[in-house]
Amino acid sequence: MNRNVDLEQEGIVVKKSCCYFCHQNCGVLAYVKDGKVIAIEGDPEFPTNTGGLCCRGNIALLHLDHPDRINYPLKRVGKKGEGKWEQIPWDQAISEIAAKLAAIRDEFGSEAVATAGGTQRTDDWARRRFMNLFGSPNGFHNSHLCWIPTFMIETAICGWSPFEIDLGASRCLVLWGQNPGVSSLPEMHHLTEFREKGLKIMVIDPRFTETAAKCDMWLPLRPGSDLALILAWLNVILYEGLYNADFVENCCVGFGELFAHVEQFTPEWAAPLTWLTADQIRESARMYAMNTPGNIQWGPCVDQLGRVSGAAIHARALLRAVTGNLDVPGSDLLTGPSREYITDEEMEGNEFLPEEQKAKQIGSDKFKLLTWPGYSKIAEATKKIWGKAPTAEWMCEAHPPSVFRAIISGDPYPVKALLVSATNPVNSFGESKVVLEALRKVEFMVTCEYWMTPTAALSDYVLPIAGALERPTITSSYGCTDFLLASQRAIQPMYERRNDYNFWKDLGVAMGQGEHWPWETVEDAYFAKIEPLGYGTENYDEFVEWYRFHFPERQYQKYLNQGFATPSGKVELYSSTLKDLGYPPMPEYVGPVENEIDHPELAKEYPLVLTTGYGFMPFHHSEHFNLRSVRYINHEPHFQINPKTAKEYGIKENDWVWIETQRGRIKQRADVTQAVSPKVIVTERGWWFPEREINEPVLGGCMESNTNVLTSTRDEDCDPISGTWANRGLLCKIYKVDGKEGK
Amino acid sequence: MARYAMVMDTRACIGCQSCTVACRTHNNLPVDMMYNPVTTVGPTGVFPDLHMVHIPLICMHCENTPCVDACPTGASQRRDDGIVFVEEKKCVSCKACVMACPYGARVPNHEKGTVQKCDFCMDRVDKGNVPRCVQTCHQKARVFGDLDDPNGEVSKLVNGNHVVRLLGELGTEPYVFYILGLEAQIR
Ligand code: SF4
Ligand code: SF4
Ligand code: SF4
């Protein structure tokens, strides 16, 4: 808010909007006059941010009308990627896209159309609905890297994923590969507060982070070795008798098998694998198991280990179960989906997708849990207990790397069109070289965007999308919790921007889906979702103005009367769901995707351990690089390297350095810091350079410092259960960029 | 009359720089200007035995003001409630105050030809609001209020904790107080 703006002038309306620049959706008060937002500030009454806003939130007005924003539908007129565009009306764009999709469907089948999505700032249920009605099972997100494997594996074992934590009554919080000090500031505030009241906080992270600097115990494990640590924790907890015998006896099945299974995983066994001492492992396991009730907060890293992820998530879920840290006050809570309002899943129209199309979902033959085979099983079990299924968009998707490969190879069948929304795949999906090849090759691509990204630049149509202040928002953590937070739009979209909801609906209507899109505006659709709550408001905006939130009364230990949503009705320490899908029913040990023990030859050539893609202020994923007002804080890409290693390689602070894996190399500047072990290299994610030419061949320099070039998406490096690919625990080498290659 | 003060609780500050950006937006400053940089000290120590602390800086709103004393035109002033500010139309940008301020709190605005600085958001404070940087801080690491109000958070924090004032030995008597936590001890 600018001090020159007089907020007491006449005609100002205050709208309860929100910030949309990360997942937190902090509440924002928008001061609107004559259809223009003249000021914003954090809403002091919003329960999560209580008036706070981070760097990104504070520049919302610059984002709203930034000169780089795309404001009109664009149609490619030159060669693909050449940067020649023609401005066309929306109607024309929609009808041309519909005609092209229909032609592809007629020639190659509906499954030849795929969609790529990004973080949840879109109405993904609408995208799913369109795809279901269109007949394609091939929607996908970056979500394999972010919580979705966790959600589904935990649900397989405990009947829902304990996504909410009850910190007020908790005695111990484990932050596993999470750094709320940059990624969820409202949460970080609560941590500080509760820690003052005695909550013990443990951070498990190879990096000394903002959060690690404020915790009681920090475990700097070898990147990618999480599974070894978790198995050793299980060993300590079971063999030292620190488990909750009552809970295990009454609420779990398979304890005997688990007890025998983890005998081998002693702290001494895990010590060399994790680079921790056996004492550290014992002490940390005891800290968690002896300070009950406690929580293990989800962090994305375990979802990003590639082939290790599934077993690690599985093992971590067992930690909660054996300590009884499930759905009791102060522990990880099993809220289940809301039974009071209509969830995203119920809006998706999954019933419209025929079985034979479900069977064609790319990757569902290899990675079974996050695709129709596993999702159907889970949905069946959860419906019995909760009456509802998890959101299919996110939880039941085509395997992204396999879709990109299908575009390139035509195997298992041709994929001819890609509809991209809220993501910039070249920078955000794994093995960027493969992704780029696919984007260059795909016959037809439409991108819904704010900016001309490297991906948008390769599209046939680029469509201007409404941002935070121009659209309403409703969030219930992807339809996976039972509360909701609602915000209204401050203004109607500027220029010719539209909601993504309107894009999917209009496209659907143009393709004959009209009867299935009864909601004219996105507000109408949201209102349909919340009407069963019975607040008695006339419309969505009224709900936001008068109530804004819905928090049902907390009920604990629901399992006592309803059981767990698993086939046996108990927590399955020995998982029948995973077993039925052909996976080990208990977590087996596998080493990190690339490691010095299993791959000594590789480790000779690539001697350093790489973990890629950490989050850093002020950016979110691959965006905000356009905004000078935040970019100045962190102008160029940096990787972290220990001073000892830097000295060995003759690298000084700020030097440009090549970081190379088997897949390719990128350059970032050296941040010489004690924050990482001498054996570890950590790179920043997301980087591309909007200030450069965003057309072929430069494409915003999207491969130059982009850490995803280094990651691996080979089938054998992906987690067999979930399909997530490998971003952490890889092997790399580094060398200085020589003068000529530098900038 | 109030005596305004700010407490920087470094136990809570995570160095996110939201305050820096919020201030710049509020004061409509050019990209290269800021009133309140946040400096990060660390990680200090040797891996894995580390410490890190973030120290937000602003104008200290000194009681004894070398800057005001140095100002030849009377543009730099100190109000009775302790807020030190620059009356821009009197400022000739001679930069005497910039030289005089031991905290580096004053920044020349080359676009406008003035020297500017944090004024505790007196526009907001006079209307009963907290400064912009205080409101925007998710961590509540910045606390603003009247030091003379015994029930106010500021006096509770200042009296209930070991607080330090930067460069205390200079006798400027700043009204910005720092709480350094255990883990924040700079080695
Ligand atoms: S906003 Fe708060 S936490 Fe962030 S840097 Fe400023 S004072 Fe520290
Ligand atoms: S910090 Fe500097 S500018 Fe602020 S009152 Fe003290 S001397 Fe003056
Ligand atoms: S009090 Fe106001 S002017 Fe001073 S640093 Fe904070 S936001 Fe900026």
Side-chain angles (χ1 to χ4, degrees):
Chain A
M1 178 177 323
N2 190 307
R3 68 165 71 200
N4 301 321
V5 176
D6 171 15
L7 293 180
E8 267 136 50
Q9 62 182 293
E10 254 175 63
I12 292 191
V13 202
V14 182
K15 292 285 191 178
K16 294 180 178 169
S17 178
C18 75
C19 172
Y20 214 41
F21 299 149
C22 81
H23 293 236
Q24 303 295 320
N25 290 175
C26 289
V28 160
L29 295 178
Y31 296 81
V32 179
K33 190 173 182 206
D34 303 328
K36 281 209 175 85
V37 188
I38 55 171
I40 62 140
E41 65 184 331
D43 181 351
E45 279 164 25
F46 200 78
T48 56
N49 63 310
T50 59
L53 280 184
C54 77
C55 307
R56 304 180 292 254
N58 274 302
I59 47 79
L61 290 187
L62 298 176
H63 186 275
L64 183 62
D65 204 9
H66 192 283
D68 290 358
R69 283 285 294 270
I70 292 166
N71 295 326
Y72 303 93
L74 300 177
K75 177 185 181 178
R76 169 168 76 79
V77 286
K79 283 205 298 283
K80 186 170 167 130
E82 199 187 11
K84 295 205 177 125
W85 303 97
E86 171 193 12
Q87 190 176 314
I88 58 169
W90 264 101
D91 289 353
Q92 181 190 340
I94 293 287
S95 66
E96 288 179 14
I97 294 166
K100 180 72 187 178
L101 295 182
I104 290 173
R105 174 170 62 189
D106 292 347
E107 195 178 343
F108 301 97
S110 307
E111 63 277 10
V113 174
T115 69
T119 54
Q120 188 209 25
R121 64 184 60 204
T122 41
D123 282 302
D124 287 299
W125 60 268
R127 180 162 78 109
R128 184 72 169 210
R129 193 176 177 88
F130 169 82
M131 290 293 277
N132 282 332
L133 291 161
F134 180 79
S136 171
N138 288 328
F140 63 90
H141 275 98
N142 307 71
S143 55
H144 281 66
L145 285 180
C146 187
W147 182 50
I148 301 307
T150 293
F151 184 93
M152 288 298 273
I153 291 168
E154 289 180 344
T155 303
I157 291 159
C158 320
W160 200 258
S161 174
F163 190 47
E164 265 194 87
I165 52 182
D166 191 12
L167 279 185
S170 174
R171 294 177 61 214
C172 176
L173 171 68
V174 180
L175 295 169
W176 209 300
Q178 194 209 10
N179 180 16
V182 300
S183 58
S184 37
L185 302 191
E187 180 195 327
M188 188 66 199
H189 169 58
H190 293 301
L191 298 191
T192 317
E193 229 175 47
F194 288 122
R195 186 161 171 244
E196 271 165 37
K197 295 181 187 146
L199 174 72
K200 291 211 178 325
I201 302 181
M202 180 179 348
V203 170
I204 300 177
D205 199 316
R207 237 168 35 96
F208 187 72
T209 59
E210 288 77 358
T211 311
K214 303 213 182 296
C215 72
D216 300 281
M217 189 188 286
W218 170 49
L219 291 185
L221 78 178
R222 182 213 190 268
S225 70
D226 308 60
L227 175 58
L229 178 62
I230 303 168
L231 290 170
W233 272 27
L234 280 169
N235 175 291
V236 173
I237 292 169
L238 297 193
Y239 285 84
E240 292 190 4
L242 305 177
Y243 58 94
N244 182 330
D246 270 358
F247 184 81
V248 165
E249 187 167 328
N250 297 320
C251 303
C252 304
V253 291
F255 184 68
E257 286 93 333
L258 182 68
F259 198 83
H261 177 67
V262 300
E263 190 189 354
Q264 48 184 318
F265 304 120
T266 60
E268 282 69 21
W269 163 82
L273 302 171
T274 54
W275 301 349
L276 302 169
T277 63
D279 278 349
Q280 268 177 306
I281 296 173
R282 281 207 176 82
E283 206 187 316
S284 54
R286 288 176 192 151
M287 179 165 157
Y288 170 66
M290 293 169 75
N291 287 291
T292 52
N295 301 93
I296 302 178
Q297 167 75 300
W298 167 82
C301 302
V302 179
D303 297 72
Q304 304 183 343
L305 304 177
R307 71 169 179 189
V308 196
S309 284
I313 293 163
H314 184 174
R316 189 173 56 180
L318 301 181
L319 285 173
R320 292 190 183 103
V322 297
T323 51
N325 274 329
L326 275 175
D327 219 29
V328 293
S331 78
D332 294 307
L333 303 179
L334 291 168
T335 63
S338 173
R339 304 184 208 210
E340 301 172 299
Y341 56 83
I342 296 176
T343 62
D344 284 5
E345 194 274 331
E346 294 167 282
M347 301 287 278
E348 289 170 345
N350 292 302
E351 65 280 9
F352 297 123
L353 188 67
E355 289 300 321
E356 80 258 24
Q357 289 305 102
K358 290 182 184 169
K360 291 182 191 162
Q361 190 174 45
I362 293 179
S364 60
D365 53 336
K366 301 178 282 192
F367 309 110
K368 296 210 172 67
L369 191 66
L370 272 57
T371 45
W372 277 107
Y375 176 81
S376 314
K377 276 183 87 62
I378 298 241
E380 194 192 331
T382 55
K383 275 184 183 162
K384 254 191 230 144
I385 296 287
W386 304 108
K388 302 201 183 189
T391 320
E393 178 85 358
W394 306 94
M395 313 291 172
C396 174
E397 303 214 316
H399 183 237
S402 300
V403 177
F404 290 121
R405 291 209 161 84
I407 291 173
I408 296 167
S409 66
D411 178 41
Y413 49 74
V415 174
K416 294 289 176 186
L418 187 62
L419 309 176
V420 180
S421 170
T423 183
N424 171 16
V426 189
N427 287 83
S428 59
F429 285 86
E431 278 204 68
S432 313
K433 284 185 183 167
V434 177
V435 177
L436 183 57
E437 189 186 342
L439 298 186
R440 280 181 172 144
K441 177 149 185 206
V442 72
E443 187 181 308
F444 184 63
M445 183 153 77
V446 177
T447 299
C448 298
E449 253 301 353
Y450 296 151
W451 317 99
M452 190 57 77
T453 64
T455 301
L458 294 170
S459 306
D460 298 280
Y461 293 83
V462 183
L463 301 173
I465 295 299
L469 296 164
E470 302 167 286
R471 51 161 296 157
T473 306
I474 195 164
T475 172
S476 56
S477 298
Y478 316 85
C480 296
T481 59
D482 55 355
F483 63 83
L484 62 81
L485 301 170
S487 303
Q488 60 191 170
R489 60 175 111 208
I491 52 169
Q492 289 298 325
M494 294 167 67
Y495 307 100
E496 283 182 28
R497 300 172 192 163
R498 278 190 192 176
N499 267 289
D500 63 296
Y501 166 78
N502 291 87
F503 168 73
W504 298 110
K505 175 192 153 222
D506 293 351
L507 193 58
V509 171
M511 304 205 71
Q513 305 173 359
E515 57 170 319
H516 298 299
W517 293 93
W519 317 282
E520 181 56 35
T521 63
V522 68
E523 277 92 345
D524 295 343
Y526 290 177
F527 191 55
K529 276 171 70 94
I530 61 171
E531 222 179 343
L533 285 172
Y535 280 89
T537 58
E538 296 277 310
N539 55 48
Y540 177 76
D541 275 342
E542 230 176 69
F543 174 77
V544 176
E545 266 156 38
W546 296 353
Y547 302 103
R548 196 158 192 192
F549 332 110
H550 173 71
F551 289 105
E553 202 186 319
R554 185 68 67 227
Q555 289 176 322
Y556 298 100
Q557 286 184 287
K558 295 179 285 298
Y559 53 81
L560 291 179
N561 39 48
Q562 68 178 39
F564 292 90
T566 59
S568 62
K570 301 213 167 184
V571 173
E572 298 193 349
L573 302 178
Y574 182 96
S575 170
S576 68
T577 304
L578 290 178
K579 191 173 177 204
D580 288 354
L581 291 169
Y583 299 115
M586 286 181 301
E588 312 269 1
Y589 178 73
V590 267
V593 168
E594 292 172 349
N595 70 76
E596 52 287 2
I597 297 169
D598 300 333
H599 317 102
E601 281 307 307
L602 190 69
K604 260 187 227 152
E605 191 182 347
Y606 300 96
L608 295 165
V609 178
L610 172 70
T611 180
T612 68
Y614 72 88
F616 54 104
M617 272 287 163
F619 304 109
H620 183 58
H621 298 318
S622 69
E623 65 180 333
H624 300 311
F625 297 112
N626 300 60
L627 295 160
R628 220 162 82 84
S629 283
V630 294
R631 174 81 174 269
Y632 85 99
I633 293 175
N634 207 337
H635 192 64
E636 289 177 312
H638 282 84
F639 73 100
Q640 294 188 325
I641 180 172
N642 186 282
K644 192 165 157 242
T645 321
K647 195 164 165 223
E648 209 175 290
Y649 284 85
I651 291 165
K652 290 188 301 297
E653 179 74 18
N654 254 333
D655 278 350
W656 283 103
V657 175
W658 288 112
I659 303 144
E660 184 172 331
T661 66
Q662 293 184 85
R663 272 95 30 206
R665 67 175 190 177
I666 62 161
K667 60 180 178 188
Q668 298 198 345
R669 280 184 186 273
D671 170 10
V672 179
T673 168
Q674 290 287 353
V676 294
S677 144
K679 290 177 269 190
V680 169
I681 295 293
V682 194
T683 54
E684 287 179 348
R685 70 174 169 216
W687 278 96
W688 61 286
F689 305 92
E691 63 273 24
R692 302 204 196 149
E693 181 117 14
I694 312 178
N695 309 313
E696 291 275 26
V698 180
L699 282 176
C702 67
M703 305 301 268
E704 194 174 296
S705 300
N706 170 7
T707 200
N708 277 315
V709 167
L710 308 175
T711 59
S712 174
T713 62
R714 294 188 313 170
D715 278 356
E716 52 275 37
D717 289 345
C718 291
D719 171 36
I721 303 178
S722 68
T724 184
W725 53 97
N727 284 36
R728 315 265 170 182
L730 303 161
L731 293 176
C732 74
K733 61 179 167 192
I734 57 170
Y735 44 97
K736 255 171 87 161
V737 170
D738 85 34
K740 287 187 286 302
E741 297 163 328
K743 297 192 222 182
Chain B
M1 182 48 67
R3 268 197 309 155
Y4 288 119
M6 199 181 290
V7 178
M8 304 291 191
D9 189 346
T10 67
R11 296 171 305 183
C13 177
I14 50 171
C16 67
Q17 307 195 52
S18 312
C19 48
T20 314
V21 174
C23 171
R24 230 198 22 229
T25 314
H26 182 61
N27 291 297
N28 206 12
L29 302 180
V31 171
D32 54 358
M33 259 182 88
M34 58 184 107
Y35 291 171
N36 53 350
V38 182
T39 58
T40 297
V41 184
T44 48
V46 176
F47 180 92
D49 190 8
L50 303 170
H51 293 264
M52 180 160 64
V53 61
H54 308 282
I55 304 187
L57 298 169
I58 53 169
C59 163
M60 299 290 140
H61 296 274
C62 307
E63 184 159 335
N64 304 319
T65 45
C67 55
V68 173
D69 300 348
C71 176
T73 67
S76 279
Q77 301 162 49
R78 183 170 182 275
R79 307 202 312 192
D80 291 344
D81 58 12
I83 294 181
V84 179
F85 71 103
V86 180
E87 194 181 334
E88 275 177 29
K89 55 180 190 303
K90 289 196 191 150
C91 175
V92 293
S93 202
C94 68
K95 304 189 185 66
C97 59
V98 177
M99 305 299 290
C101 170
Y103 299 97
R106 295 179 161 249
V107 269
N109 184 334
H110 300 293
E111 285 174 16
K112 278 164 77 180
T114 55
V115 168
Q116 292 174 225
K117 62 178 277 298
C118 158
D119 62 4
F120 267 171
C121 284
M122 59 190 197
D123 60 315
R124 292 173 60 96
V125 170
D126 289 344
K127 288 189 188 127
N129 297 320
V130 293
R132 190 71 182 89
C133 57
V134 173
Q135 185 183 346
T136 214
C137 176
H138 277 288
Q139 309 312 312
K140 315 274 179 255
R142 310 171 83 112
V143 183
F144 179 83
D146 178 3
L147 200 53
D148 284 344
D149 172 4
N151 299 317
E153 218 188 323
V154 161
S155 43
K156 281 190 197 153
L157 283 172
V158 170
N159 296 321
N161 291 280
H162 176 65
V163 289
V164 297
R165 294 154 108 180
L166 300 187
L167 303 179
E169 66 278 14
L170 297 181
T172 49
E173 303 288 318
Y175 276 93
V176 177
F177 299 87
Y178 288 82
I179 301 178
L180 298 177
L182 261 187
E183 66 272 33
Q185 267 160 19
I186 308 163
R187 291 189 177 180

